[in-house]
Amino acid sequence: MCAVLAFPVMAGESDTEHDAVRRRVVQLRKAMGFTQATMGRLCGMNATTWNNYEKGVRRISIDMAIKLCQTTGVTMDFIYRGEMRGLQHDLVLKLQGEGGPQRRRPA
């Protein structure tokens, strides 16, 4: 099981960047059709910890982001930067259906 490390907004990181990561975590869970409890369980954490990520109380750690990538097929670039390049087409469509960017995936 991955260690659950959580970090507050870091020096040099704006609240907007922190909120963007939080929104993408919520968007991903909803696109996958999972509850917070299910997503937490799949990533090796409890629902409360997952809820803290979604509310922005805690920022998702690198270790947990890696686990999230392994579990769902997203990339670190998606989680931290919002880049959809490299994602499977069906996942892009699901993410766009959850209020994600409506841009075309590069070939």
Side-chain angles (χ1 to χ4, degrees):
M1 179 156 88
C2 292
V4 178
L5 302 173
F7 304 96
V9 176
M10 303 183 73
E13 177 186 49
S14 71
D15 288 333
T16 304
E17 290 167 342
H18 177 71
D19 191 55
V21 169
R22 179 199 66 76
R23 285 192 318 272
R24 284 190 289 275
V25 167
V26 172
Q27 176 188 6
L28 174 62
R29 178 185 58 80
K30 289 180 177 181
M32 301 298 291
F34 296 143
T35 64
Q36 289 181 346
T38 300
M39 186 65 96
R41 187 174 55 254
L42 290 171
C43 292
M45 69 183 87
N46 62 41
T48 302
T49 301
W50 185 264
N51 182 271
N52 286 338
Y53 293 149
E54 287 197 9
K55 286 185 173 182
V57 173
R58 293 184 159 189
R59 186 170 194 259
I60 192 168
S61 68
I62 297 293
D63 289 339
M64 204 46 61
I66 290 169
K67 181 69 173 176
L68 187 59
C69 292
Q70 293 168 338
T71 302
T72 64
V74 296
T75 62
M76 296 291 272
D77 279 340
F78 173 76
I79 295 170
Y80 289 106
R81 299 176 58 213
E83 293 290 329
M84 291 198 175
R85 212 169 317 137
L87 299 182
Q88 293 292 322
H89 182 69
D90 61 330
L91 182 54
V92 171
L93 294 176
K94 287 179 185 178
L95 290 166
Q96 288 176 339
E98 286 300 327
Q102 299 297 315
R103 59 184 175 197
R104 289 181 46 138
R105 185 173 155 228

